[in-house]
Amino acid sequence: MSTSLLYHGWGIRGYQYVRTSYVGGRAIFTVKPDAFSVTCPVCGSNDVLQHGCIHRLWREVPIGPKPVVIQMGIPRVECRKCATIRQIGVGFADERRSYTRAFARYALGLSRYMTIQDVARHLNVGWDLIKEIQKSYLQKHFSRPKLSKLSQLAIDEISVGKGHKYLTVVLDLTTGAVVFVGDGKGAEALQPFWRRLRRSRARIQAVAMDMSKAYIQAVRKNLPAATIVFDHFHLIKLFNDKLQQFRRFLFNQASATEQKILTRTSRNQ
Ligand SMILES: [Zn+2]
């Protein structure tokens, strides 16, 4: 084991290998930060005084069936520039996580082919840890999608559950991704979306929607240059509703004999 294997095997850079121990069937690699990694996490200055360290363990990608753990004392430093005392940042793991970034990437890679339970069993960890890794990945990548590349949108409302709760959903028509979900329906639900869209400076060419006046007005006001397109589903639905109304109108106008014929004809259709 060596510092270069730490880097090439597990992608740990800026840390030196200290020793290996084997406890409870696990290989524990103790590492320490390079001198240049000991800097102030607030301002980045290396003019710092060390005040002890806090020992921690991180789950690392296993060697075959053998679990691997990284152990390190995280130095607490006093910065002479900004006068704060903090732990230094850890380059190979996210804050407050008990696993390294490489471990998370490995678990996510396996999750594409295996169930959460399978991944947890293979990595010798609990089901909830794999779930947490997947959740934080989804949050990081999808909770606030970038709007700057948007050009074609679709706006629609959906009802949730049996009650009268509605959500307004905005889709990127090019990718099919949901880019915004607003509480309620109508123009108000879209207010936070317009604010984010303005900040992103996206150039919207077209917006597909149903024929609700509230949406039409909101889009005209916030995206005056965009073309409004009524989507296929809502057009056909409206057309069918009108046709049905027209049928009923004709039926009511007809004489009793004609009504009988009409009823027979529509049954045979
Ligand atoms: Zn500082």
Side-chain angles (χ1 to χ4, degrees):
M1 184 64 186
S2 66
T3 296
S4 93
L5 187 59
L6 267 185
Y7 173 50
H8 292 289
W10 287 274
I12 296 179
R13 194 179 358 185
Y15 300 84
Q16 283 171 25
Y17 169 73
V18 178
R19 68 179 163 272
T20 304
S21 46
Y22 301 96
V23 181
R26 305 186 303 175
I28 301 174
F29 299 146
T30 303
V31 303
K32 65 174 187 183
D34 280 340
F36 62 80
S37 298
V38 184
T39 54
C40 168
V42 179
C43 71
S45 164
N46 56 7
D47 188 6
V48 292
L49 289 172
Q50 193 169 329
H51 290 283
C53 51
I54 294 146
H55 287 275
R56 282 199 50 194
L57 301 170
W58 292 267
R59 285 258 170 201
E60 186 50 285
V61 177
I63 304 173
K66 186 165 281 294
V68 171
V69 172
I70 301 288
Q71 176 174 271
M72 186 177 77
I74 310 174
R76 285 179 79 238
V77 295
E78 178 185 348
C79 177
R80 290 210 255 209
K81 217 171 177 184
C82 65
T84 49
I85 300 182
R86 298 262 176 103
Q87 288 177 38
I88 67 163
V90 177
F92 53 80
D94 287 336
E95 236 179 290
R96 291 188 291 274
R97 299 290 184 222
S98 61
Y99 47 85
T100 65
R101 290 199 192 104
F103 182 85
R105 280 196 299 274
Y106 186 54
L108 286 168
L110 293 175
S111 300
R112 294 174 61 189
Y113 308 102
M114 297 155 77
T115 65
I116 293 180
Q117 196 70 60
D118 290 337
V119 179
R121 204 173 297 136
H122 174 66
L123 295 176
N124 271 296
V125 294
W127 181 91
D128 45 344
L129 185 74
I130 303 302
K131 185 84 186 155
E132 181 194 308
I133 290 173
Q134 290 187 356
K135 204 170 141 190
S136 68
Y137 172 81
L138 291 172
Q139 250 161 4
K140 195 170 168 186
H141 290 85
F142 298 104
S143 63
R144 288 188 83 76
K146 280 201 183 112
L147 303 182
S148 58
K149 299 269 166 64
L150 281 183
S151 69
Q152 297 176 351
L153 303 178
I155 301 174
D156 205 359
E157 66 200 27
I158 52 169
S159 68
V160 185
K162 283 180 189 162
H164 295 283
K165 184 173 162 45
Y166 289 91
L167 294 175
T168 297
V169 181
V170 182
L171 289 177
D172 176 349
L173 269 185
T174 319
T175 62
V178 172
V179 291
F180 174 79
V181 179
D183 272 329
K185 57 179 180 174
E188 267 179 31
L190 288 167
Q191 288 300 346
F193 176 67
W194 302 129
R195 279 197 293 276
R196 280 181 51 205
L197 197 62
R198 266 194 295 279
R199 279 201 296 272
S200 76
R201 294 166 188 265
R203 291 193 180 170
I204 306 300
Q205 295 171 333
V207 183
M209 60 169 95
D210 64 14
M211 277 151 281
S212 116
K213 269 192 193 145
Y215 289 157
I216 297 171
Q217 279 171 1
V219 171
R220 289 238 165 93
K221 186 177 155 211
N222 291 282
L223 299 170
T227 307
I228 293 177
V229 183
F230 296 128
D231 64 56
H232 187 253
F233 169 80
H234 289 101
L235 269 183
I236 299 293
K237 184 172 176 294
L238 191 70
F239 179 75
N240 281 336
D241 290 349
K242 290 282 177 205
L243 195 64
Q244 197 60 33
Q245 274 174 24
F246 187 55
R247 270 187 180 151
R248 261 186 228 124
F249 169 78
L250 285 181
F251 188 80
N252 292 334
Q253 297 280 312
S255 65
T257 331
E258 283 169 338
Q259 284 189 353
K260 265 185 199 164
I261 297 168
L262 279 173
T263 315
R264 220 176 292 147
T265 321
S266 66
R267 263 193 213 134
N268 293 338
Q269 269 175 358

